[in-house]
């Protein structure tokens, strides 16, 4: 389910024999690319162990409302804010009753009152309990509040009865979860993005570098994850927080960035070279701090690898997208870079007004022409850029398949 990539699912498990199915449901959600956190009622722990759910989700299982360690950071509020979707499965008759009347006497019922994410329940109970007027009245209250009701199925029950009340199977619940989200334009794609400056050592305390802040690359990484992509961000030294669900690889020099890019792009769909990679590095770096003994200092430089050109010339290569930060002749220099480096798409911008800024104006350049975008936030620009990347990727793959 590509639309579940990078989604945050809070799974609430209540007391019922169907709780054993939650292990498989969690496995399927994680396999689909979701992060799963589990909250269990006390009764749920009688049917499946917290240790099992922790092993399958890869996250600590939450059990107690009055957990002093968690509540020091307002744990139930943070859990409610964290989720993109809350699924109660199985939802017992008792929990449905408490939920419908707004009770908050355990962790799961409390966080539901603080949640703004969509909530769905997958009922599981005896067919007579399901048919009871009290249960149906409670379900109607939940429907009126916008709670999604998934199931139940009808069939043989653990008690031997036949009828409605079986919890939906894990595959069916997985599909319902996926239906809650629209698959992004880059769902299932792997993107490798470079960002920030590189530092080329002169001696143990000095280096050659540039003014790149990394903000554009980090905005692209954030929006690519939102579009469903798997994102590897190879970052030079910047003071920025790693976007959620992004795998960040920290490097310093151009040679380190080159080595990591070569490794990561082998199975990538898209490579976006945003980093301001130093064109040159000192042939040798002094092993001690250079002292100010002379009036002038000559440092011999050698050219660094041209990372983006190398990726563009790989036999089995991804779509290659470049950036050109220019101080003059924006379109002329941008098109020359696109053609000389054999790129598929390039975003050109004025360097002086962009470095360290939260805003950018840019021109998208491809073999088919140019498209200008007015100055706006880098986050908004990233969304526009990725729409163009998605379109270019579709054309690129069609051409390669022909």
């Amino acid at each position: 389910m590509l639309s579940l990539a990078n989604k945050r699912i809070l799974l609430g498990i209540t007391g019922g024999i169907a709780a054993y199915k939650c292990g498989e449901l969690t496995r399927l959600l994680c396999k689909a690319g979701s992060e799963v956190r589990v909250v269990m009622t006390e009764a749920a722990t009688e049917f499946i162990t917290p240790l099992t759910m922790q092993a399958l989700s890869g996250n600590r299982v939450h059990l107690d409302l009055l957990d002093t360690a968690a509540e020091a950071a307002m744990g139930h509020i943070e859990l409610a804010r964290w989720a993109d979707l809350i699924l109660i499965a199985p939802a017992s008759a008792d929990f449905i009753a408490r939920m419908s009347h707004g009770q908050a006497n355990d962790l799961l019922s409390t966080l539901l009152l603080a949640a703004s994410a969509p909530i769905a329940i997958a009922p599981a109970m005896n067919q007579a309990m399901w048919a009871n007027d009290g249960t149906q009245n409670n379900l109607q209250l939940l429907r009126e509040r916008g709670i999604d009701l998934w199931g139940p199925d009808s069939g043989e029950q653990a008690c031997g009865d036949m009828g409605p009340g079986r919890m939906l199977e894990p595959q069916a619940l997985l599909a319902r979860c996926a239906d809650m989200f629209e698959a992004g334009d880059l769902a299932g794609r792997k993107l490798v993005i470079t960002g920030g400056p590189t530092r080329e050592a002169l001696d143990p305390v000095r280096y050659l570098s540039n003014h790149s802040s990394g903000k554009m690359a980090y905005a692209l990484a954030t929006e690519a994850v939102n579009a469903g992509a798997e994102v590897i961000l190879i970052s030079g030294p910047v003071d920025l927080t790693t976007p959620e669900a992004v795998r960040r690889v920290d490097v310093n020099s151009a040679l380190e960035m080159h080595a990591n890019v070569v490794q990561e792009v082998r199975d990538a769909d898209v490579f976006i070279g945003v980093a301001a990679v130093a064109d040159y590095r000192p042939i040798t770096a002094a092993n001690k701090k250079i002292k100010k003994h002379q009036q002038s200092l000559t440092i011999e430089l050698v050219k660094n690898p041209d990372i983006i050109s190398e990726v563009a010339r790989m036999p089995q290569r991804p779509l290659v997208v470049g950036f050109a930060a220019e101080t003059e002749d924006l379109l002329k220099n941008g098109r020359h870079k696109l053609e000389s480096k054999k790129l598929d798409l390039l975003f050109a911008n004025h360097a002086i007004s962009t470095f360290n800024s939260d805003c950018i104006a840019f021109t998208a350049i491809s073999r088919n022409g140019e498209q200008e975008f007015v100055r706006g936030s880098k986050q908004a620009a990233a969304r526009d850029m990725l729409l163009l990347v998605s379109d270019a990727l579709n054309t690129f793959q069609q051409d390669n398949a022909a």
Side-chain angles (χ1 to χ4, degrees):
M1 298 294 173
L2 298 181
S3 54
L4 286 172
N6 306 315
K7 298 300 184 289
R8 296 176 292 190
I9 311 297
L10 184 64
L11 177 61
I13 307 176
T14 71
I17 189 62
Y20 80 90
K21 297 180 181 180
C22 291
E24 175 65 4
L25 174 59
T26 300
R27 187 189 71 81
L28 291 173
L29 287 168
C30 291
K31 185 178 179 182
S34 296
E35 182 180 356
V36 180
R37 295 190 184 178
V38 177
V39 177
M40 301 176 70
T41 65
E42 183 178 357
T45 63
E46 299 294 327
F47 294 92
I48 189 169
T49 68
L51 184 60
T52 297
M53 298 310 303
Q54 177 176 308
L56 290 167
S57 69
N59 287 310
R60 172 195 171 199
V61 173
H62 302 270
L63 302 169
D64 301 315
L65 176 61
L66 303 179
D67 181 337
T68 54
E71 288 308 305
M74 297 300 289
H76 66 284
I77 302 296
E78 289 305 312
L79 272 174
R81 290 173 178 166
W82 172 84
D84 294 318
L85 170 67
I86 300 174
L87 171 60
I88 313 300
S92 66
D94 171 70
F95 190 82
I96 288 171
R98 291 192 287 118
M99 182 180 174
S100 67
H101 289 85
Q103 293 189 20
N105 53 359
D106 62 10
L107 176 59
L108 185 54
S109 59
T110 300
L111 70 84
L112 290 177
L113 295 183
S116 57
I119 301 171
I121 62 172
M125 64 195 74
N126 171 268
Q127 55 85 24
M129 297 171 69
W130 172 256
N132 185 275
D133 287 345
T135 300
Q136 292 302 313
N137 289 339
N138 292 335
L139 290 167
Q140 183 57 35
L141 289 173
L142 294 179
R143 289 190 190 97
E144 290 171 0
R145 288 189 214 146
I147 307 299
D148 285 303
L149 179 63
W150 295 351
D153 266 344
S154 186
E156 185 176 357
Q157 301 183 324
C159 61
D161 284 358
M162 294 289 293
R166 288 172 55 92
M167 188 175 89
L168 293 181
E169 294 302 314
Q171 281 283 3
L173 290 175
L174 180 75
R176 294 291 186 96
C177 288
D179 288 343
M180 298 292 287
F181 304 102
E182 182 179 353
D185 292 330
L186 296 171
R189 308 293 195 179
K190 177 182 176 181
L191 272 66
V192 176
I193 302 172
T194 62
T198 63
R199 292 177 177 175
E200 311 304 324
L202 293 170
D203 62 23
V205 297
R206 300 182 181 92
Y207 54 81
L208 299 176
S209 192
N210 56 66
H211 293 294
S212 175
S213 66
K215 290 179 180 179
M216 190 69 250
Y218 278 64
L220 280 165
T222 299
E223 294 303 323
V225 164
N226 291 340
E230 173 193 356
V231 179
I232 293 85
L233 176 59
I234 302 174
S235 177
V238 297
D239 187 21
L240 296 171
T241 302
T242 306
E244 285 197 38
V246 168
R247 178 159 66 85
R248 174 173 164 177
V249 180
D250 288 320
V251 299
N252 273 296
S253 69
L255 292 179
E256 289 176 359
M257 184 169 283
H258 172 264
N260 280 277
V261 167
V262 170
Q263 179 177 336
E264 293 292 350
V265 297
R266 291 170 183 166
D267 60 345
D269 296 290
V270 180
F271 173 68
I272 307 179
V274 194
V277 183
D279 294 322
Y280 296 90
R281 70 182 186 276
I283 288 182
T284 58
N287 56 14
K288 295 181 180 179
K289 181 181 176 181
I290 300 170
K291 297 296 184 180
K292 295 184 290 184
H293 297 313
Q294 61 269 44
Q295 291 299 316
S296 63
L297 177 67
T298 300
I299 299 173
E300 190 174 358
L301 303 177
V302 64
K303 201 168 187 178
N304 274 321
D306 191 331
I307 296 173
I308 199 165
S309 291
E310 190 170 322
V311 174
R313 287 172 169 80
M314 289 179 173
Q316 302 294 325
R317 71 176 184 86
L319 180 85
V320 182
V321 181
F323 275 70
E326 302 292 343
T327 57
E328 58 184 356
D329 296 330
L330 184 71
L331 293 181
K332 179 182 177 182
N333 289 332
R335 181 154 295 282
H336 178 263
K337 182 173 182 178
L338 176 89
E339 295 172 354
S340 64
K341 296 181 183 292
K342 300 187 182 302
L343 310 183
D344 301 295
L345 181 64
L346 180 134
F347 300 117
N349 60 274
H350 290 282
I352 296 174
S353 63
T354 300
F355 280 143
N356 291 307
S357 173
D358 292 324
C359 295
I360 187 173
F362 67 94
T363 300
I365 303 174
S366 70
R367 296 182 186 90
N368 300 321
E370 296 94 27
Q371 184 177 355
E372 290 190 24
F373 290 79
V374 298
R375 187 171 177 82
S377 73
K378 287 184 175 178
Q379 212 67 42
R383 290 191 286 272
D384 290 332
M385 290 174 180
L386 289 174
L387 287 174
L388 296 176
V389 168
S390 179
D391 289 341
L393 179 59
N394 291 334
T395 302
F396 175 78
Q397 293 185 327
Q398 288 170 7
D399 290 346
N400 286 345

